[in-house]
Amino acid sequence: MMILTNSVVILFITIGVIFIVVTAIGLVRLPDLYTRAHAASKSATLGVMCILIGVFLHFWLIEDHFNPRILLGILFLFITGPVGGHIMTRSSYIAGVKPWKGTVRDDLGPEIERMKKEQGIQ
Amino acid sequence: MKTNDVIIQFTAKIVFFIIFFFSIHIFMAGHYTPGGGFVGGLLTSSAIVLLVLAYDLNTVRTVLPINYIHLIATGLLLALGTAAFPMFIGKPFFTHFFDYFTLPLIGKTSLHTAMLFDAGVYLVVVGVTMTIIQRIGEDD
């Protein structure tokens, strides 16, 4: 039983660390802001959530201490991580950051032009 | 340019309650675990600041019609009153009392007058932070 519990904990924490390393590699290698934000907000959130699940299971099954704060932290990260990525990417698009030159489709551009025309800017 | 920010407003509505209840938990748990009045007050004011970011200052002022200067005064009076009360019954300044009570829903609880002092600290921290942010933010 002890070996099984330890294996589950180690599995979750390893998956989390691997996802965070993938995030760091993505931040270095990807070409523009939007692909980097895609890497950062998605896989970092999943990695931190996996690490928190591992910590929660370790304290619950081995140290015999049920800590609901960690569950609340997982819920909080799950809600706020993607929203933070969305807000940062959207504000940088509106501020005029250009996407990578290989981009073939841009749906937000015409929409922003339409909103500017409706509100009488330019 | 005025944009459509449904996502951040809806998220702020939910996340506000998570942060607010967590701050109450931190405040209540301060006697036995890390936490207390200062951290709880900062967390509460950060929840209100999140609402200010997602909506605007006037909306939040309509939703929470609190005069934060009066909040600071209430907190200082509460702290000073808790500290000064033992002097009237012949004990030194800042003597604290505690006892065990059996409350209807919670059961056996230990109530301590340090809690009242902590509540004063909490109110002062919330009041000071929100006063600073409102005064800087409304300067159009």
Side-chain angles (χ1 to χ4, degrees):
Chain A
M1 191 62 201
M2 197 69 179
I3 294 176
L4 182 68
T5 334
N6 274 328
S7 314
V8 172
V9 171
I10 289 172
L11 180 75
F12 272 114
I13 293 185
T14 315
I15 291 176
V17 171
I18 287 174
F19 266 106
I20 288 180
V21 170
V22 166
T23 306
I25 295 174
L27 283 182
V28 175
R29 303 252 324 160
L30 287 174
D32 70 337
L33 186 142
Y34 304 102
T35 46
R36 278 183 202 146
H38 169 79
S41 64
K42 202 181 263 184
S43 59
T45 310
L46 185 62
V48 174
M49 280 164 65
C50 280
I51 290 181
L52 281 178
I53 289 175
V55 172
F56 173 74
L57 287 178
H58 174 267
F59 276 96
W60 189 27
L61 299 174
I62 296 174
E63 312 267 332
D64 211 16
H65 171 66
F66 185 85
N67 195 343
R69 283 187 200 192
I70 300 181
L71 294 180
L72 199 67
I74 292 172
L75 178 72
F76 190 80
L77 275 175
F78 187 65
I79 296 175
T80 54
V83 174
H86 162 78
I87 292 299
M88 282 187 269
T89 321
R90 184 184 167 86
S91 53
S92 31
Y93 189 91
I94 292 174
V97 179
K98 290 280 172 269
W100 179 47
K101 60 183 187 309
T103 311
V104 293
R105 184 166 175 164
D106 182 5
D107 279 343
L108 189 56
E111 191 67 18
I112 296 224
E113 287 303 317
R114 190 180 62 79
M115 282 172 70
K116 274 185 180 168
K117 204 171 290 171
E118 270 179 12
Q119 294 171 20
I121 306 172
Q122 291 167 8
Chain B
M1 185 173 74
K2 187 169 161 38
T3 53
N4 165 13
D5 39 9
V6 175
I7 294 183
I8 189 170
Q9 289 185 350
F10 187 76
T11 315
K13 273 183 217 162
I14 298 172
V15 166
F16 171 77
F17 286 103
I18 298 180
I19 303 178
F20 182 68
F21 287 125
F22 187 62
S23 78
I24 297 293
H25 163 74
I26 287 262
F27 170 67
M28 294 286 182
H31 201 75
Y32 294 109
T33 54
F38 187 77
V39 189
L42 278 184
L43 264 176
T44 307
S45 43
S46 70
I48 303 174
V49 170
L50 178 68
L51 282 187
V52 174
L53 284 179
Y55 295 86
D56 58 356
L57 210 52
N58 288 326
T59 317
V60 176
R61 200 175 281 151
T62 323
V63 174
L64 297 170
I66 304 169
N67 188 339
Y68 291 105
I69 304 279
H70 293 173
L71 206 66
I72 299 175
T74 317
L76 284 178
L77 273 181
L78 193 59
L80 186 66
T82 317
F85 167 70
M87 287 168 52
F88 297 106
I89 55 172
K91 295 269 174 54
F93 188 62
F94 253 121
T95 312
H96 282 301
F97 305 97
F98 69 96
D99 204 351
Y100 294 95
F101 297 95
T102 309
L103 298 179
L105 274 176
I106 314 169
K108 185 182 166 195
T109 323
S110 116
L111 293 182
H112 200 295
T113 49
M115 185 84 192
L116 294 175
F117 186 77
D118 232 16
V121 174
Y122 177 88
L123 293 181
V124 170
V125 170
V126 173
V128 168
T129 319
M130 291 315 296
T131 309
I132 293 172
I133 286 170
Q134 276 195 349
R135 285 293 179 274
I136 295 175
E138 73 189 351
D139 198 28
D140 299 317

